[in-house]
Amino acid sequence: TRQKIFKAIKELDYRPHFAAGALAGGKAKALALMFPDGEAGISPVALEYITGAANCARESGYHLILWPGADTELQEIASFSKSGMIGGVLLMEIQLDDPRVNFLRKAGVPLSLIGRPEKTEGLKYVDRDFALTIQRAMDHLLKLGHKKISYIQNSRINEKKDLGVDYRNAKEIKAYAKKAGVEVVEILSHNDAESGRECFIKMRKDHPNVTAVIGLSDLATIGFVSAAREANVSVPKELSIISINTPANQVHMTWPPLTTIQLPAHQMGRAAAELLIQQLSGEESKDPQQLFVGDLEVRG
């Protein structure tokens, strides 16, 4: 009988129907990863998170569906969850007061987050330990003797709906600078290389005494270093640069290679997917709220 079944499968090119399987077995085998649909597309950092989540899902027998969309599509996500088409949702780029989180929780959709809102009670998430990450970056620059430090911040910080990552980075930098008795200057930039170049020009014009820079945006930091090289500003002799949001596969895209606080984005994506899969399997998560730091990697 087994041989006949496999012969029929081969002849008919049969493939399992996952929606029907979910209805029959009561368990969806697809996860939706939802993120805002911006004009800039998916950044290299976001791809690291997505790849980590996708690898974890595949190893556990799930499929990861990328779902770019706006708040208006939340009802559709909830409907797909209720109908058994998807098992749960991973959310990225979390706002301090995120309407997606509130909506999906009320709808009873299984949920885990990459990032966290201001109120975290009852949520399962992975995020950066911003206090320790910034402390490691600042300590490195302070040991080098820097007294006036700039940081490249994503310009979306001025929007009404602040993202947790932008807000917490800026908050921790200002707090630690005050504690250490050094001056910090915020330079706003879009997260692309051209904006990073413009950021360098603006900084040298308005704040010529800055001797060190913390890059909070991966692509903008690359453009910033390129502009410094074009202007014959020696890195690191005249200007020290450290990035906290640059994946390992990007650090050699500048010359000299970037010094970083390692961003464990792939590991964080995996951990977020594991939290969601544990929910769907009825397992109790040992660590439902996880914070990651990253080691100091001194390069050029």
Side-chain angles (χ1 to χ4, degrees):
T1 302
R2 178 182 176 86
Q3 290 175 350
K4 290 179 180 179
I5 290 173
F6 277 104
K7 181 181 179 183
I9 286 174
K10 185 175 181 181
E11 291 175 351
L12 298 172
D13 192 27
Y14 170 77
R15 295 290 185 274
H17 194 292
F18 288 104
L23 291 173
K27 186 178 179 182
K29 300 301 291 182
L31 310 176
L33 192 152
M34 191 176 187
F35 56 94
D37 187 14
E39 293 182 2
I42 302 175
S43 71
V45 170
L47 280 175
E48 290 279 309
Y49 291 113
I50 292 169
T51 303
N55 288 344
C56 176
R58 185 179 64 253
E59 291 165 11
S60 300
Y62 287 84
H63 298 270
L64 188 71
I65 301 170
L66 299 187
W67 195 302
D71 296 346
T72 54
E73 297 185 10
L74 289 172
Q75 185 61 59
E76 188 176 7
I77 282 275
S79 297
F80 271 59
S81 176
K82 294 292 185 183
S83 66
M85 295 291 286
I86 60 174
V89 176
L90 283 157
L91 284 183
M92 292 179 62
E93 297 196 3
I94 309 299
Q95 300 166 10
L96 291 175
D97 183 15
D98 201 310
R100 301 173 301 164
V101 175
N102 301 330
F103 180 92
L104 293 172
R105 290 187 77 182
K106 288 180 181 179
V109 178
L111 183 67
S112 72
L113 316 178
I114 301 175
R116 66 191 192 273
E118 193 166 24
K119 297 179 181 178
T120 61
E121 185 179 355
L123 290 174
K124 299 181 187 298
Y125 65 80
V126 301
D127 202 2
R128 205 82 184 268
D129 188 325
F130 295 96
L132 284 178
T133 300
I134 293 302
Q135 181 179 329
R136 287 184 181 178
M138 292 284 285
D139 282 348
H140 175 67
L141 297 177
L142 293 174
K143 287 178 181 177
L144 294 175
H146 296 289
K147 298 297 183 183
K148 187 166 184 179
I149 300 169
S150 176
Y151 64 95
I152 305 172
Q153 175 67 286
N154 201 309
S155 58
R156 63 193 175 188
I157 192 72
N158 284 340
E159 297 177 3
K160 293 181 180 179
K161 299 178 181 179
D162 289 337
L163 292 182
V165 60
D166 297 336
Y167 171 80
R168 290 187 173 93
N169 273 327
K171 177 184 176 182
E172 297 299 338
I173 287 175
K174 293 172 184 176
Y176 201 73
K178 184 178 180 179
K179 178 181 176 182
V182 297
E183 184 181 354
V184 290
V185 175
E186 181 181 76
I187 305 290
L188 295 178
S189 172
H190 296 298
N191 191 23
D192 60 69
E194 184 58 34
S195 291
R197 291 163 58 86
E198 294 171 0
C199 184
F200 172 83
I201 295 170
K202 177 176 176 59
M203 189 199 75
R204 295 293 285 183
K205 177 183 177 182
D206 297 342
H207 308 284
N209 295 328
V210 166
T211 59
V213 175
I214 299 175
L216 304 181
S217 302
D218 58 325
L219 297 178
T221 303
I222 290 173
F224 186 95
V225 177
S226 296
R229 187 170 177 80
E230 290 175 18
N232 293 318
V233 173
S234 175
V235 177
K237 187 180 295 185
E238 297 176 69
L239 189 65
S240 292
I241 300 172
I242 184 169
S243 175
I244 67 170
N245 278 324
T246 299
N249 60 6
Q250 281 186 280
V251 296
H252 294 284
M253 293 178 70
T254 66
W255 186 259
L258 281 170
T259 289
T260 63
I261 303 297
Q262 179 191 5
L263 175 64
H266 190 277
Q267 184 181 355
M268 291 169 68
R270 288 189 67 93
E274 286 175 0
L275 288 174
L276 182 55
I277 292 168
Q278 285 169 357
Q279 288 184 65
L280 300 178
S281 302
E283 298 178 31
E284 190 68 30
S285 300
K286 294 181 180 179
D287 191 3
Q289 299 182 344
Q290 303 176 31
L291 296 180
F292 295 75
V293 185
D295 296 326
L296 171 66
E297 297 283 351
V298 179
R299 298 183 182 88

